[in-house]
Amino acid sequence: MKSPFSDMITIDKPQELLDIAFKRGSKVEIKFRPRTPDIIKAKKREMARINTVTDNLVKRFTKMIKTFPTFENLHPFYYDLVKTLVDIDEFRKIIASLSSALKILKKIHQEHFNKIKRARDPTVAGDARKAFYGRISSVINRLEEKLDYLREQRNILRKLPSISPEIFTIVVAGYPNVGKSSLVQAISTAKPEISYYPFTTRNLIVGHRILDEDDPIPQKIQILDTPGLLDRPLSRRNNIELKAIVALKHLANVIVFMIDPSETCGYQIANQTHLLKEIRDTFQNIPFIINLNKIDIVQSEQISQVKKEIKEIFPEEELPILETIAVKEEGVEDIYDSAMKYYPNEL
Ligand SMILES: Nc1nc2c(ncn2[C@@H]2O[C@H](COP(=O)(O)OP(=O)(O)O)[C@@H](O)[C@H]2O)c(=O)[nH]1
Ligand SMILES: [Mg+2]
């Protein structure tokens, strides 16, 4: 699984671009028939040099431009995340100015190519090539700030999490220490992978589960543990953080909200149900499952009490409430089965 940005090529500095291109130019070798006049040799050599230099720069620039995906074609999850990180309008302007620099480069090439062609003296041909080098150097050097900007953007975008936005995703939310990681681990077939997510200092944990190992084309789902994202009140987040969190709505097919009725996580039930309400309101159209964990260390009266409180918070809708002992993997398959009720059935 890869993010659309994980294979982006490096953005060179102008001097690096020019050094490589000129080096290629200086290595051009042409074989001449015996007794070829010096003027013909000089012209052919200089033409081949400026062609090589231009080709090299055009290819390199085209690659740099193409390495940035067209934002409109991104999956909405990545598009929303990118918007929190990058000024898309500024970005487009810069890409456009690279494209126009390419056009100028080709024009300068044409002019000097013609000069070399018309030369009647090897020195004139050599001078035309040198003049060409000088002019394109200044065109490319003028792009320095723009290339610096693109390099920074690339470094930011490259860190975006590797998630498959297309596959069925269960997102696990809830306060720290309620048992989210234990649940994700218990449900996943493979060892969860760790991914960076913007605006959190914690890592996103991505577990996978293969639906049927015997299937010739095994179908996978993913289970996300979201430390630092859906584990504290949204009302205390700034706007940008919130946007990065809300981007999860494009990803989540089901949200499992975990509550620790034992309060050994360090958060009171009232705080936990408050977060539950906030997250329910934020992700309104996404199916929701409530998970009471750590029932091994809670009295059954306490569990009934928490269930009653939850029902009072949501008088309009009957959300499923399931109980687990995540560390002992008890009840976790019921969570999985319950989430999979929302899995789109094939024909
Ligand atoms: N007694 C008990 N402890 C649990 C249970 N699930 C998790 N824990 C413990 O609670 C702590 C936090 O669990 P973790 O999965 O890391 O929570 P997270 O911070 O929400 O990811 C760990 O010490 C777990 O061993 C459970 O069902 N019962
Ligand atoms: Mg955890």
Side-chain angles (χ1 to χ4, degrees):
M1 246 145 273
K2 273 182 174 176
S3 97
F5 307 97
S6 46
D7 290 332
M8 292 175 80
I9 64 157
T10 53
I11 306 296
D12 298 316
K13 289 193 164 280
Q15 204 50 54
E16 292 164 345
L17 286 164
L18 291 167
D19 284 349
I20 292 172
F22 291 158
K23 202 167 169 188
R24 291 273 158 81
S26 69
K27 282 190 180 152
V28 170
E29 276 183 44
I30 310 173
K31 289 207 174 77
F32 294 105
R33 273 191 247 147
R35 289 191 298 279
T36 305
D38 282 351
I39 178 65
I40 302 286
K41 282 189 192 168
K43 284 164 73 161
K44 287 211 163 148
R45 197 180 297 120
E46 303 303 6
M47 280 174 181
R49 280 182 172 177
I50 71 166
N51 287 350
T52 303
V53 169
T54 306
D55 275 358
N56 182 271
L57 288 171
V58 168
K59 278 196 188 124
R60 193 74 204 161
F61 266 84
T62 311
K63 267 194 186 164
M64 289 197 293
I65 292 170
K66 281 201 181 138
T67 204
F68 292 96
T70 323
F71 290 124
E72 289 71 23
N73 298 341
L74 286 175
H75 186 277
F77 167 68
Y78 279 112
Y79 185 76
D80 278 5
L81 272 191
V82 166
K83 271 203 305 194
T84 65
L85 298 166
V86 170
D87 179 346
I88 293 184
D89 286 339
E90 179 65 15
F91 193 88
R92 285 210 186 95
K93 276 187 212 149
I94 289 191
I95 293 287
S97 60
L98 291 197
S99 302
S100 57
L102 265 189
K103 282 195 199 117
I104 296 171
L105 176 66
K106 287 178 188 165
K107 199 169 142 258
I108 297 174
H109 170 264
Q110 194 56 50
E111 276 172 31
H112 290 79
F113 187 87
N114 292 342
K115 271 189 194 160
I116 296 171
K117 211 168 153 186
R118 286 195 303 267
R120 289 165 191 269
D121 179 327
T123 333
V124 176
D127 287 348
R129 190 258 306 157
K130 283 181 203 150
F132 167 78
Y133 280 16
R135 283 189 63 193
I136 60 163
S137 294
S138 63
V139 170
I140 307 260
N141 280 323
R142 273 202 297 272
L143 297 173
E144 177 148 22
E145 272 181 25
K146 296 188 166 100
L147 292 172
D148 285 347
Y149 178 87
L150 288 181
R151 192 173 318 108
E152 276 167 31
Q153 304 307 308
R154 169 189 179 260
N155 292 340
I156 294 168
L157 294 173
R158 247 160 43 101
K159 285 196 212 134
L160 283 175
S162 298
I163 289 172
S164 305
E166 312 293 347
I167 74 172
F168 187 86
T169 304
I170 303 171
V171 171
V172 183
Y175 265 101
N177 292 316
V178 296
K180 299 185 299 297
S181 301
S182 310
L183 177 73
V184 169
Q185 213 163 348
I187 294 181
S188 304
T189 325
K191 196 169 175 276
E193 290 160 20
I194 292 170
S195 224
Y196 165 86
Y197 198 88
F199 309 110
T200 90
T201 49
R202 315 276 310 277
N203 287 313
L204 195 70
I205 322 265
V206 190
H208 294 102
R209 174 145 171 168
I210 295 166
L211 300 195
D212 178 3
E213 302 271 2
D214 299 328
D215 200 329
I217 310 159
Q219 304 288 312
K220 251 196 205 175
I221 63 146
Q222 59 194 356
I223 309 121
L224 299 189
D225 183 6
T226 57
L229 290 172
L230 300 176
D231 67 353
R232 61 193 160 97
L234 297 171
S235 37
R236 280 186 229 147
R237 309 289 188 142
N238 69 38
N239 236 338
I240 292 179
E241 275 181 295
L242 210 54
K243 281 187 182 144
I245 291 170
V246 174
L248 289 171
K249 74 168 185 275
H250 301 297
L251 218 54
N253 294 89
V254 188
I255 293 177
V256 174
F257 190 93
M258 212 173 194
I259 287 181
D260 170 4
S262 77
E263 298 183 337
T264 55
C265 62
Y267 301 91
Q268 290 174 358
I269 288 164
N271 292 332
Q272 296 188 59
T273 51
H274 185 79
L275 180 63
L276 164 65
K277 175 84 169 83
E278 268 196 348
I279 293 191
R280 180 72 202 124
D281 290 346
T282 309
F283 298 95
Q284 274 176 18
N285 300 318
I286 298 168
F288 230 74
I289 296 167
I290 296 166
N291 176 196
L292 304 185
N293 189 35
K294 305 194 189 177
I295 57 155
D296 52 329
I297 51 170
V298 205
Q299 304 289 325
S300 58
E301 298 79 52
Q302 174 76 341
I303 295 173
S304 312
Q305 178 58 28
V306 174
K307 282 188 180 171
K308 200 172 137 241
E309 283 171 34
I310 293 171
K311 287 193 176 122
E312 281 166 9
I313 299 173
F314 302 104
E316 310 278 310
E317 63 177 340
E318 181 104 12
L319 296 171
I321 306 179
L322 300 175
E323 298 165 25
T324 54
I325 309 173
V327 271
K328 292 191 190 145
E329 303 202 359
E330 275 179 36
V332 297
E333 284 305 296
D334 292 341
I335 299 275
Y336 173 73
D337 291 342
S338 185
M340 291 307 283
K341 286 189 188 136
Y342 302 100
Y343 187 80
N345 276 318
E346 280 127 305
L347 301 169

